[in-house]
Amino acid sequence: MPYSYLSMASKPGILTDWPWKPLGSFKYILLVPLITEHIYSFMEKDEDIDVSKLVLFPFMLWRMLHNQLWISLSRYLTAKGTNKIVDKGIEFDQVDRERDWDDQIMFNAILFYWGNKYVPGGSHLPFWRLDGVIITMLLHAGPVEFLYYWLHRALHHHYLYSRYHSHHHSSIVTEPITSVIHPFAEHIAYFLLFAIPILTTVLTGTVSIVALAAYITYLDFMNNMGHCNFELIPSWLFTLIPPLKYIIYTPSFHSLHHVQFRTNYSLFMPFYDYIYGTMDKSSDTLYEKSLRRKEESPHVVHLTHLTTPESIYHLRLGFASFASKPYTPSTWHMWLLWPVTLCSMMLTWIYCFTFVVESNRFHNIRLQTWTIPKYNIQYRSKSQKQSTNNLIEEAILEAEEKGVRVLSLGLMNQAEELNMYGGVFIQKHPQLKVKLVDGSSLAVAVVLNSIPKGTTQVVLRGKLTKVACALAFTLCQKRIQVSVLREDEYEKLDKLLGTKSEGKLVLSKSYTCKTWLVGDGLSEVEQKKASKGTLFIPFSQFPPKKLRTDCFYHTTPAMQTPLAFENVDSCENWLPRRVMSVWRIAGLVHALEGWEEHECGYTTSNIEKVWEATVKHGFQPLRVPTHLKS
C-alpha cells in the first residue's frame, strides 16, 4: 500500500493546544474538585446521595484502564504479527505525540462534572431506563454518524487540515490511543457531536447511568478497535449477517483512511461512505488479507526477563510513555499502582510462559524480544534455578521449531551459576540448529573501545565473569596493567591467565587509577575511595549505583543503533533512546554475518572480528562521558 506521509499541523489554528498544557504533569490538579466531592459524597450519611456523581470518578478510571488494555493487546498482537494490517513501525516521535492520551478523558470528566451540577436533569440519574437506551442508539446511528461524516470530510479540507486534523494523521501506523490524539478544538467539536444523544435523553428525562456509561464505553471501544492495527472481526460474522458490513467498520477499513487519506471517512458505520462514493475499493481485499496473516516467524530472538515488579510497566506492552524513557527506580506514582503491580506479579506466576514484547526489523532481518516472566530475585534463588532453566530451554526449543537462526541470551538468562553462560543447553541439545549467543565477545570489544586512548592502567573490580576474565586477558596482551583490589580475585585471575598475563596483572591497594572496569559486586565503600574524576565503565549487564557526583559513569555495554533499525519506540531497560545492549546486538550481527558457531559456555568468538562486523552494519559506540554534573 502507498503511504501518504503527512506532517503535523503546519499552521496551528486557535485552540490547538490543551488549556492545561503549561501545567505538564500537574494537570491532574484540575481534578481535585471532582475527587474531593467524590470522597465527600462517599462519606456523607445523607440518604439522598447522588449515585451518578459518585460513579463519575470510578468511571474515569475505568476509561483509562479500558484504553490501556487496548494499548497492551494491540502492541502484543502486532509484535507477534498476528492479523497485522500495516507493516511500518512506530517510532519515538509518535509515542511523544500521543503521550497525553488521557487529556480527553480529563476533559470529558470535567464537563460531566459541570453537567451534573448545572444542567437541569443532569443529577440524581436513575440506574436504568430502556427508552433512554433506545433513543441513544437511534440518535447515534442517525444524526451523529451523518454529521460526523461531513465534519470529518470538512477537516480534510486544506484550510482545516493544515491547522488541526493533520496532527491526528501524523500517525500513519495507528495505535488504539491514536484515536484521541487531536487538537483541543477538534475535541470540543467531537464532544458537541457525541453530546446530542446525551443531552437529548437528559432534557427528555429518559437518561440513565447505564445508558450514559454504555454509550461512552461504546465510543471508546470502537475508537480503540478502529486504530489498533490488527484485524479482529471474523469474516463469518459478515457472512452470517451481510448488512453488518454497512453498520460496523473494521480496523482495516479505518487503517486505509490513515494510509490513503481521501477515503473511508465514516465514524463507525461505513454506510455513509457507500452512499457518497468515498469507500476505498481495496477495503475488502485488505480486510481478507489481514485476517489471513499469520504470526511472524523471526530470524533472531533476544531472550530477556523482568527485573523488578515495576518493570512490567516499562515493557513496550505496558505504559508507552514509561517504556519510551530509560528505566528509573520506583517513583511516587508507582506507589499508587501497587494493587495493579501485585496483580501483575500474581498473573506472571500463574501464567509462567515466555511472551513476545517487541518486534523490530533491520534490513531483511526480523528480530523479536521474548520475556521470561521471572524477576531478578527469582533468578538469584537456588530453589528457582531449575524452573528458570526450564523456561529458557522451552524458549530455545520453541525458537528451534519456528526456524529462528539465532537466539541471544540477555540479562541473567546466561548467568554462570544458572546455566554456565548457556552452555548446558548445548550439552543437552548438541544438534540445535538455532545458534545460541551470549554476546560476551562484543561486550569485551565495547568495553575495550570505551577505555580512553593512552590509558596504561585500569582497575578491574567486580564479579569475575566470562567477560571480566576475557577483558583481563585482552588488556594484559595489549600491555595495559590490570590492577585487582581483592586478593581472592587476583589469585583466581592469576591462576587462569598464568604466563599469559605478561606480568601486567597486579594486586593493588591503591585507588588512584582513573579508569575502573566494574561489574556486579562493586561496593559503596570502594566507589567512595576512588579518586575524583574516576571513569567507571561497567562490563556487567546491570549498571552500578551512581554514588559520586565528581566521577564519570559510562553505560553498561551498549551501542547506538543505525537509523535503518525500525520500530524503535521503547528504551531497553536503563539505556537511552535508540541505544541497544551488546547482548542483543550480538545475536543480530551473528545472523547478519551468517556465522554457524555458538557463542556460549566458556568459548568466546574472535573479538576483533565481531567488533568489525558490528561497526560495518552501522552500530556505533557511545560517547565516553567527559564532563561532570554541576
Side-chain angles (χ1 to χ4, degrees):
M1 290 184 297
Y3 295 107
S4 299
Y5 290 96
L6 307 166
S7 61
M8 293 176 64
S10 55
K11 304 175 183 177
I14 60 170
L15 297 178
T16 293
D17 290 332
W18 290 82
W20 48 73
K21 184 179 179 180
L23 295 175
S25 298
F26 292 101
K27 65 185 180 183
Y28 301 108
I29 200 170
L30 298 173
L31 296 173
V32 169
L34 185 155
I35 298 170
T36 303
E37 280 217 33
H38 177 267
I39 295 172
Y40 177 75
S41 298
F42 184 77
M43 297 176 65
E44 197 177 32
K45 302 295 184 180
D46 190 356
E47 292 182 4
D48 188 27
I49 206 164
D50 186 358
V51 179
S52 55
K53 180 191 293 183
L54 197 63
V55 300
L56 183 55
F57 182 62
F59 183 63
M60 186 184 76
L61 295 178
W62 153 245
R63 292 188 67 191
M64 290 182 174
L65 175 62
H66 183 194
N67 283 352
Q68 183 57 51
L69 290 172
W70 269 106
I71 296 166
S72 298
L73 177 64
S74 173
R75 289 190 158 206
Y76 174 68
L77 290 179
T78 52
K80 294 182 70 175
T82 308
N83 297 350
K84 192 175 179 180
I85 301 169
V86 179
D87 267 327
K88 185 176 168 60
I90 293 170
E91 305 296 329
F92 283 110
D93 61 338
Q94 181 169 338
V95 176
D96 291 339
R97 190 173 60 252
E98 297 178 349
R99 186 178 306 278
D100 295 318
W101 56 266
D102 58 340
D103 278 345
Q104 55 93 26
I105 298 178
M106 275 185 57
F107 177 54
N108 291 168
I110 291 169
L111 291 176
F112 285 135
Y113 171 74
W114 287 347
N116 179 269
K117 287 179 73 74
Y118 302 115
V119 175
S123 61
H124 294 85
L125 306 183
F127 182 74
W128 165 260
R129 281 197 62 152
L130 179 61
D131 50 359
V133 173
I134 294 172
I135 291 171
T136 300
M137 293 170 62
L138 293 175
L139 289 175
H140 176 83
V144 172
E145 288 279 351
F146 175 77
L147 291 173
Y148 179 90
Y149 175 85
W150 287 107
L151 171 63
H152 196 180
R153 287 192 66 168
L155 287 169
H156 276 262
H157 182 276
H158 174 72
Y159 183 86
L160 291 177
Y161 182 84
S162 62
R163 286 162 175 76
Y164 297 106
H165 201 53
S166 58
H167 182 74
H168 176 68
H169 275 273
S170 297
S171 301
I172 303 296
V173 182
T174 60
E175 289 201 284
I177 51 175
T178 305
S179 62
V180 295
I181 304 304
H182 300 280
F184 181 57
E186 275 193 54
H187 273 286
I188 294 174
Y190 295 144
F191 183 84
L192 291 173
L193 191 61
F194 298 136
I196 292 173
I198 297 171
L199 283 175
T200 301
T201 53
V202 168
L203 297 176
T204 57
T206 57
V207 71
S208 67
I209 293 174
V210 169
L212 203 57
Y215 183 52
I216 301 300
T217 300
Y218 165 77
L219 295 175
D220 287 344
F221 180 90
M222 296 298 287
N223 261 325
N224 284 321
M225 183 188 76
H227 292 81
C228 68
N229 198 32
F230 67 91
E231 192 55 73
L232 53 76
I233 298 184
S235 58
W236 61 260
L237 192 61
F238 296 119
T239 304
L240 188 65
I241 314 173
L244 275 181
K245 69 180 295 185
Y246 304 105
I247 300 173
I248 299 176
Y249 79 162
T250 63
S252 54
F253 173 92
H254 191 71
S255 180
L256 275 170
H257 174 71
H258 277 260
V259 171
Q260 304 289 16
F261 178 62
R262 294 289 186 183
T263 58
N264 297 8
Y265 291 105
S266 293
L267 178 55
F268 307 141
M269 297 171 61
F271 176 72
Y272 293 102
D273 280 299
Y274 280 102
I275 289 179
Y276 297 111
T278 51
M279 180 75 176
D280 196 293
K281 294 179 181 178
S282 61
S283 295
D284 291 341
T285 304
L286 180 61
Y287 168 71
E288 292 165 3
K289 179 183 176 182
S290 301
L291 274 182
R292 289 195 302 268
R293 188 161 182 175
K294 304 299 182 184
E295 180 179 336
E296 290 182 345
S297 293
H299 301 106
V300 179
V301 165
H302 179 63
L303 191 64
T304 184
H305 60 77
L306 300 170
T307 52
T308 64
E310 295 86 3
S311 65
I312 194 79
Y313 304 119
H314 190 266
L315 293 178
R316 189 176 183 274
L317 307 183
F319 294 162
S321 58
F322 288 178
S324 67
K325 299 176 182 177
Y327 177 77
T328 53
S330 298
T331 51
W332 65 268
H333 52 269
M334 283 299 181
W335 287 102
L336 301 177
L337 292 169
W338 70 264
V340 183
T341 306
L342 183 61
C343 289
S344 70
M345 289 180 66
M346 293 177 65
L347 185 63
T348 55
W349 286 334
I350 295 170
Y351 181 71
C352 209
F353 288 100
T354 301
F355 55 95
V356 181
V357 294
E358 192 170 350
S359 179
N360 308 98
R361 190 182 297 270
F362 185 55
H363 300 312
N364 62 335
I365 298 290
R366 290 191 299 273
L367 168 67
Q368 281 186 355
T369 301
W370 296 359
T371 295
I372 289 178
K374 283 185 179 287
Y375 303 94
N376 286 350
I377 191 171
Q378 292 170 291
Y379 274 79
R380 294 189 178 101
S381 171
K382 291 183 179 179
S383 63
Q384 293 281 315
K385 177 179 177 180
Q386 189 58 49
S387 63
T388 301
N389 269 337
N390 288 343
L391 283 173
I392 298 172
E393 183 179 2
E394 287 169 10
I396 292 170
L397 295 178
E398 183 181 350
E400 174 87 348
E401 187 179 341
K402 289 178 180 290
V404 174
R405 300 181 198 170
V406 179
L407 185 142
S408 53
L409 297 166
L411 293 178
M412 298 168 72
N413 286 322
Q414 49 163 291
E416 180 181 23
E417 61 275 13
L418 183 68
N419 51 46
M420 295 191 304
Y421 309 112
V424 296
F425 305 118
I426 299 300
Q427 294 175 7
K428 189 173 181 180
H429 304 282
Q431 302 303 318
L432 274 178
K433 293 180 181 179
V434 58
K435 305 306 174 187
L436 299 190
V437 174
D438 66 9
S440 55
S441 56
L442 185 55
V444 172
V446 166
V447 173
L448 290 174
N449 283 275
S450 300
I451 298 172
K453 290 183 179 180
T455 300
T456 58
Q457 179 187 14
V458 300
V459 168
L460 184 68
R461 170 77 273 277
K463 185 179 177 183
L464 292 181
T465 61
K466 176 181 175 181
V467 171
C469 294
L471 273 171
F473 171 77
T474 308
L475 288 167
C476 288
Q477 294 295 302
K478 290 179 177 287
R479 309 298 295 171
I480 296 175
Q481 184 173 292
V482 179
S483 299
V484 182
L485 302 178
R486 297 189 179 184
E487 189 171 346
D488 59 327
E489 292 175 359
Y490 171 78
E491 290 176 355
K492 182 176 179 180
L493 277 174
D494 187 52
K495 182 178 179 181
L496 181 68
L497 301 181
T499 57
K500 295 178 182 178
S501 68
E502 304 288 343
K504 289 295 180 178
L505 179 68
V506 299
L507 177 62
S508 174
K509 295 298 180 181
S510 172
Y511 292 84
T512 57
C513 180
K514 294 287 188 177
T515 303
W516 286 38
L517 309 184
V518 298
D520 298 333
L522 175 68
S523 69
E524 294 185 6
V525 172
E526 289 165 332
Q527 272 201 65
K528 291 175 181 178
K529 286 183 178 180
S531 301
K532 180 180 179 180
T534 295
L535 171 62
F536 293 102
I537 304 176
F539 58 77
S540 60
Q541 302 243 16
F542 292 86
K545 187 176 180 181
K546 297 180 180 180
L547 300 176
R548 301 280 297 272
T549 58
D550 59 349
C551 292
F552 305 103
Y553 290 85
H554 202 19
T555 67
T556 50
M559 300 182 77
Q560 188 81 32
T561 60
L563 293 177
F565 196 81
E566 299 177 28
N567 200 33
V568 184
D569 63 352
S570 59
C571 292
E572 184 180 351
N573 299 318
W574 37 82
L575 296 173
R577 289 182 168 186
R578 294 199 69 87
V579 171
M580 187 183 296
S581 71
V582 296
W583 291 274
R584 193 173 172 192
I585 295 172
L588 189 57
V589 172
H590 212 85
L592 287 165
E593 291 294 309
W595 292 330
E596 291 299 321
E597 73 274 10
H598 297 285
E599 185 193 46
C600 57
Y602 293 100
T603 60
T604 304
S605 299
N606 184 288
I607 295 170
E608 285 298 325
K609 179 183 78 169
V610 172
W611 175 253
E612 289 173 4
T614 304
V615 174
K616 178 184 73 174
H617 288 293
F619 293 92
Q620 295 297 318
L622 301 179
R623 184 175 60 86
V624 177
T626 56
H627 66 279
L628 297 173
K629 291 183 179 179
S630 58

